[in-house]
Amino acid sequence: MPVSAEEVKVAGLELVFPTNHRVFRRADDYFEKKFKTHFGRNSQTCAKVWSEVTKLEWLLERTHQKPQLKHFLWCMNFMHAYRTEGEACTMFDCDEKTWRKWTWVYATAISKLTAKYVKFEDRLIGDTQDVCTMTVDGTDFKIWEPRPFSKEQNKIWYSSKFKGAGVRYELAIAIKTGEIVWINGPFPCGWGPDLKIFNQTLKTCLLPFEKIMADRNYRDSDKAYTKCHVEKYEDDTHETITKEYAAIAILLARHETVNGRFKEFGCLNQVYRHERSKHHILFSAVAVIIQIEMRHGGRPVFDTAAAAYADPILNYHY
């Protein structure tokens, strides 16, 4: 049931401003700004996500009714603003049970697009038989402290990044395209460092000659290429940074840009207050939305010319 970005924008604004018709007399950029304020992404991205969700047979089997754009927009607002049920239901004039049902139905539906939009084999798009195909990093998200309190139990969930309980995901970005090609998690933050998570699964999926590019936390792995493996300066004057070091810095900065986009969603930036078993649903749904936004929403990560700049080191250690 595809709809245009304009139709999605109008539907969203009518939900937020049901009686204020004056808002529709403003310029188009004002409409788009207001829409993004409440739903997190532009109308073009939301229209594409809606189009993909309505194609899912799972959604029809789960709900036994025609998909409603209103419920999808509730979900987008839920993930973006992460308001309490009382606040959200007052804003959208609905019952808390109804809000809870439909936000999670559509969040689950979006997460089921992960297999279509996040593909490990996509790391080889534009393949030139490079050794380094991906940048990899772990990213932490806050959760409520486990109850009842137990020193040993709470230690497993402790994240040193924000001095509290959290879950960690492993994220891989293709060097050639800048798109997400791997997500893995959640893991309790205290379970182990990023390298332990990498060794458990992703390392076993790499080709024999293949390596990842990562930060210094991965320096002890024979499958990782980090700043520790290159010289920082060209000479003893410490004035000129080497191309290899600069390339790694650029690619890792691009990775952090993608990590930051996950934190733009309130459900991942605020302290997560729902069942821990459902956290991966929201993370996967957000990953799909970010991927669609990069491809169709006019917001790609910064120029992948960084990949070309890194060519001198991609074939390093063949």
Side-chain angles (χ1 to χ4, degrees):
M1 192 190 304
V3 296
S4 67
E6 185 64 27
E7 290 174 306
V8 171
K9 181 166 60 179
V10 171
L13 291 175
E14 286 179 345
L15 282 175
V16 179
F17 306 107
T19 59
N20 187 2
H21 298 291
R22 289 179 298 175
V23 71
F24 296 101
R25 300 174 186 173
R26 302 290 187 92
D28 286 343
D29 58 344
Y30 178 84
F31 293 163
E32 193 64 50
K33 183 179 179 180
K34 285 296 182 184
F35 181 90
K36 191 172 181 179
T37 297
H38 291 283
F39 302 104
R41 265 39 198 169
N42 60 31
S43 57
Q44 187 177 355
T45 299
C46 290
K48 181 61 179 178
V49 177
W50 167 252
S51 175
E52 292 293 330
V53 164
T54 54
K55 297 175 184 177
L56 291 173
E57 293 183 5
W58 176 89
L59 186 61
L60 183 60
E61 294 171 356
R62 173 68 174 77
T63 62
H64 304 290
Q65 68 178 58
K66 183 179 178 181
Q68 294 190 38
L69 181 58
K70 174 179 71 174
H71 294 155
F72 167 75
L73 291 171
W74 284 1
C75 176
M76 291 297 296
N77 178 269
F78 164 65
M79 291 190 292
H80 168 63
Y82 204 51
R83 295 182 173 89
T84 63
E85 289 181 352
E87 293 172 334
C89 292
T90 300
M91 179 177 180
F92 291 102
D93 191 24
C94 63
D95 178 74
E96 290 185 3
K97 185 177 180 180
T98 304
W99 170 265
R100 190 181 311 120
K101 172 187 175 180
W102 290 112
T103 52
W104 281 104
V105 163
Y106 277 92
T108 304
I110 297 171
S111 72
K112 289 187 176 295
L113 296 170
T114 305
K116 179 177 180 179
Y117 278 94
V118 182
K119 297 180 180 180
F120 188 57
E121 58 269 24
D122 285 353
R123 75 193 191 284
L124 301 177
I125 291 178
D127 178 39
T128 54
Q129 295 186 334
D130 298 323
V131 170
C132 295
T133 58
M134 303 174 290
T135 55
V136 176
D137 194 17
T139 180
D140 294 0
F141 302 96
K142 302 174 186 176
I143 62 170
W144 269 354
E145 295 288 344
R147 295 289 186 272
F149 177 82
S150 165
K151 184 176 181 180
E152 291 301 320
Q153 179 71 11
N154 287 46
K155 184 178 180 181
I156 296 174
W157 298 96
Y158 182 79
S159 170
S160 59
K161 291 186 178 180
F162 36 75
K163 311 301 181 185
V167 291
R168 179 172 298 156
Y169 289 84
E170 183 178 55
L171 189 69
I173 308 296
I175 288 178
K176 292 292 187 183
T177 63
E179 293 188 353
I180 303 168
V181 294
W182 172 271
I183 54 176
N184 185 23
F187 299 90
C189 285
W191 177 77
D194 294 345
L195 182 57
K196 183 177 179 180
I197 297 174
F198 168 68
N199 288 336
Q200 185 187 54
T201 306
L202 181 55
K203 182 179 179 179
T204 64
C205 298
L206 299 177
L207 297 172
F209 66 85
E210 190 176 5
K211 293 178 182 285
I212 64 162
M213 193 175 292
D215 59 29
R216 290 183 173 88
N217 292 329
Y218 297 78
R219 62 186 178 275
D220 294 329
S221 174
D222 61 342
K223 281 289 191 177
Y225 190 73
T226 73
K227 291 179 180 178
C228 299
H229 297 106
V230 298
E231 294 292 335
K232 183 173 182 180
Y233 298 103
E234 291 186 354
D235 51 45
D236 295 336
T237 62
H238 291 187
E239 294 180 355
T240 306
I241 295 177
T242 62
K243 287 188 65 175
E244 292 84 356
Y245 190 94
I248 295 176
I250 291 171
L251 290 167
L252 293 183
R254 183 175 67 176
H255 192 112
E256 291 299 333
T257 298
V258 178
N259 283 352
R261 293 190 183 184
F262 281 85
K263 303 294 177 69
E264 292 174 358
F265 288 78
C267 62
L268 298 180
N269 188 42
Q270 300 177 34
V271 178
Y272 178 75
R273 56 178 182 269
H274 292 85
E275 301 98 314
R276 286 201 301 268
S277 60
K278 288 186 174 181
H279 192 279
H280 75 280
I281 295 176
L282 296 183
F283 180 85
S284 298
V286 169
V288 169
I289 293 170
I290 292 172
Q291 191 86 306
I292 289 177
E293 181 183 44
M294 288 193 289
R295 292 182 183 179
H296 307 285
R299 197 186 176 203
V301 288
F302 60 81
D303 197 348
T304 53
Y309 190 52
D311 276 344
I313 63 171
L314 291 180
N315 287 294
Y316 196 82
H317 290 178
Y318 229 129

